[in-house]
Structure formats: structure tokens, C-alpha cells
Amino acid sequence: MVAAVWGVLYAAVEVIWAVTGTTVQWKEHSAYAPGVQLFLAALALLAGGACLASTRTLAKPGRVAVATALIVALPVFVVGTNGLPIYFVAITTLSGIESATGLTQVLLNTAGAAFLLLVGLSYRRRLRGDCPRCGRPHAGAADGPLAHPAASRAPRRTRVAVYLLMCGLLPWAGAKTIWTLGGNALGVAGDDWKRTTIVGASGPSKATASAGIDVTVLAAMVGIFLLLGLLYVWGQVFPRWTLFLSGRRVPRLLPLIPAWLTGIPLTMYGAALIVMAPLMATGVLPKIKPDPPFTTSSGITWFVEFGGLAFAGLGIGLVVAARSYAARTHPVCASAMTTKRPK
């Protein structure tokens, strides 16, 4: 029902924007065309209707139609979440939002992607004859008490993979740290970088830039903190330093929601940058003209590649760690503990 309401709300917003000619930013210097907005409105209504139908008993053609609608719609709205990390950094650093309608669009896409993913997972379980809530076959309703597994850390292979992915942050964070400390890298002088950063910053961003600290590096450190919580036991049971929360079970969705919502968009954004940089370097794509504080096109190209490695590394790391966390913390209905899964 909630997903169906989202579909109607999303469609209404898109139609109003398209009819009134409201500019909705897609990316820098690019906006959604009215035709695209009307297409998204129709797709949202279709997806919302499929979510509503997924709770009912349907014949095979109906089941195929619901599954097809969910499979087609989900990737579209997932792609629409691409700007979420950028807006997150802008909001948390009080740097100012470039486009209010663009932020609204991203939030609507994010909500839709989350609803469709949950509905799709529940529908798949229902078709298999499993409990739509816990995914295990058992007798009785799916609203009884849940049994939670004991806290555990991620397998060694997962931890090693995440640590290697985190290394993608080093070139990007290293260059920014050199600049904020007054050094030179990629043809950019530290003084020029700090001067440009402070001029374009406001609030906490300006304060941290003045102190020689890059706020985006701090944001990356928050991502690393989230990664470590997903890998280790203290991300499942509040540690001692959380005072009155110490010893309590961490709500499962508390780390999973930000991990999925930032990990997937970061992965897509980083992957695009990784592909773009070598194409610009070889002339397949036009090179970016130097813009202060950068003095050479090659410097910008390298920084684009560094950014791609950082964002994709952190994004994929979050997705991998979140997948492990979700599997290790997955609760089951208490009644399923006494029900044997058919072989």
C-alpha cells in the first residue's frame, strides 16, 4: 500500500513539473526533459500498481506482469538515486543545495527504489512459498516474534575484499590532503586550492578548509566508520562508548539503509568517472579545460580518475559489507526455527 501511494505521489509531482515547465536538475548544467518526466510518472504508476497487485493471489499471466513491471522499474529509479551522495555532503557541510527540485527528485527516486526492492524481495519469497517477512517456510502468520542470530564479524574473505576496495580512497584523499597542507600535486598549488575552496565554501566547510581539513575527506571517513561497523561485532551490539545504549542490539536497518543508499549511487558515479578519465586522456571524449585551481587538462583528468577510484571503491565496499551484514543479522520468525526447510 505504501509503495502504491508513493507511485501516485511521484506521478503527480512529475506531471506538475512537466506541465509547469519547472527545471529539475539531472546533473550539472543538465535538466530533465518534460517527456522524460511524463515517462517517469507513467512508470511510477505502473510500478505502484504492480506493488499493490503483488499482495493478491494472481494467475500466472498476472504474476508474470507484476514481476516484469518490478524488474523494469527498479533499475530506472536506482539510476535516479545517483546524485544522493553529492546532496548528502552538501547538506551535512551546510554548503548550500544547488537545486531544490533536483534534491526532491533524487529523494523520490530513492524512496521508490527502496520500496520496489522490498516489495520485489517479498513477492519473490511469496512465489517460492516462503514467509514474505523472513524468507523461511513455516506455518502460521508472518507477524509473530523474530529470532535474531548472535553477533558475529564478517568472514575473513569479505574483510580483505573491503579493505582492498578502501585503498581506492588513497590517491584522491592523498591529493586533497597535500593541497590542504599547502603542498603541490597534479599541477595544483596548495595555496591556490585552499584559496578557491575557502572562497566557494560556507559555514563548517569554510571553517574546516581554513584549518587545512577537506570536508569531503571527512565525509569519506564517515563512510569508513560505517564500513567498519558493518564488518565487526560493534556494528551489531552497541559498544561501551555509546553509554546508555551499551550492550543493546543495533537496529538492523540503522546501518543498512545508509549503506545501501550511499553505496549504490557511489558505485555508479565512481564507475562512470573511471571510464571517463581514460577516454578523455586518449581523446575519445573532449578534455576538460583547466579551471582554477587546476592549471592543466591532464591534472583534471588524473583527479577525475582518482575520484572514480575513491567513489567506486567506497561504494562497492559499502555494498559488499552491507550484503555480509544483512546475511549475518537476518532474523527469522520464531515459528520458523521449528520448521524444517524442504530439501
Side-chain angles (χ1 to χ4, degrees), residues 241-273:
W241 49 265
T242 56
L243 303 180
F244 61 90
L245 291 175
S246 177
R248 297 176 180 268
R249 182 175 57 83
V250 176
R252 186 167 180 260
L253 295 180
L254 182 61
L256 280 178
I257 289 177
W260 288 121
L261 292 184
T262 57
I264 294 175
L266 277 175
T267 298
M268 294 188 296
Y269 185 59
L273 294 181

Side-chain angles (χ1 to χ4, degrees), residues 16-328:
I16 291 173
W17 281 343
V19 171
T20 59
T22 302
T23 300
V24 182
Q25 183 173 303
W26 159 245
K27 56 182 179 179
E28 190 176 5
H29 308 305
S30 180
Y32 284 88
V36 174
Q37 292 173 314
L38 294 177
F39 166 76
L40 291 174
L43 187 61
L45 288 176
L46 176 64
C51 291
L52 196 60
S54 69
T55 60
R56 302 178 180 180
T57 302
L58 302 172
K60 185 175 181 179
R63 295 196 299 268
V64 172
V66 169
T68 301
L70 294 176
I71 291 172
V72 170
L74 180 58
V76 174
F77 294 110
V78 167
V79 171
T81 68
N82 190 45
L84 187 62
I86 298 175
Y87 283 112
F88 173 77
V89 173
I91 292 172
T92 55
T93 60
L94 303 179
S95 301
I97 299 173
E98 186 175 347
S99 170
T101 54
L103 173 60
T104 303
Q105 179 77 13
V106 169
L107 292 177
L108 286 172
N109 287 333
T110 301
F115 288 143
L116 294 180
L117 180 63
L118 293 175
V119 170
L121 179 62
S122 176
Y123 188 58
R124 179 173 178 270
R125 290 171 175 174
R126 188 178 289 109
L127 291 179
R128 292 171 53 187
D130 295 336
C131 171
R133 181 172 68 158
C134 74
R136 292 276 296 276
H138 62 80
D143 57 358
L146 291 172
H148 295 270
S152 62
R153 66 178 182 178
R156 184 174 183 274
R157 182 170 58 181
T158 299
R159 299 197 307 271
V160 170
V162 171
Y163 286 139
L164 290 175
L165 288 165
M166 286 168 57
C167 291
L169 287 163
L170 294 178
W172 170 81
K176 286 205 163 189
T177 302
I178 290 173
W179 291 330
T180 53
L181 293 177
N184 302 335
L186 302 179
V188 176
D191 292 340
D192 292 340
W193 173 265
K194 292 177 67 175
R195 189 181 306 110
T196 304
T197 304
I198 292 174
V199 169
S202 61
S205 296
K206 189 172 184 178
T208 55
S210 301
I213 302 172
D214 188 89
V215 70
T216 56
V217 175
L218 289 179
M221 292 178 67
V222 173
I224 292 173
F225 177 81
L226 176 58
L227 268 176
L228 295 177
L230 293 168
L231 294 177
Y232 292 97
V233 172
W234 60 266
Q236 299 170 48
V237 179
F238 285 108
R240 293 180 180 178
W241 49 265
T242 56
L243 303 180
F244 61 90
L245 291 175
S246 177
R248 297 176 180 268
R249 182 175 57 83
V250 176
R252 186 167 180 260
L253 295 180
L254 182 61
L256 280 178
I257 289 177
W260 288 121
L261 292 184
T262 57
I264 294 175
L266 277 175
T267 298
M268 294 188 296
Y269 185 59
L273 294 181
I274 290 175
V275 173
M276 283 175 56
L279 293 179
M280 289 189 297
T282 56
V284 176
L285 291 178
K287 294 183 179 181
I288 303 176
K289 295 181 179 180
D291 188 34
F294 288 93
T295 58
T296 64
S297 294
S298 60
I300 297 179
T301 301
W302 275 110
F303 192 61
V304 168
E305 184 68 18
F306 288 172
L309 292 173
F311 301 144
L314 182 58
I316 298 174
L318 283 169
V319 171
V320 171
R323 182 176 182 275
S324 173
Y325 184 94
R328 298 187 339 266

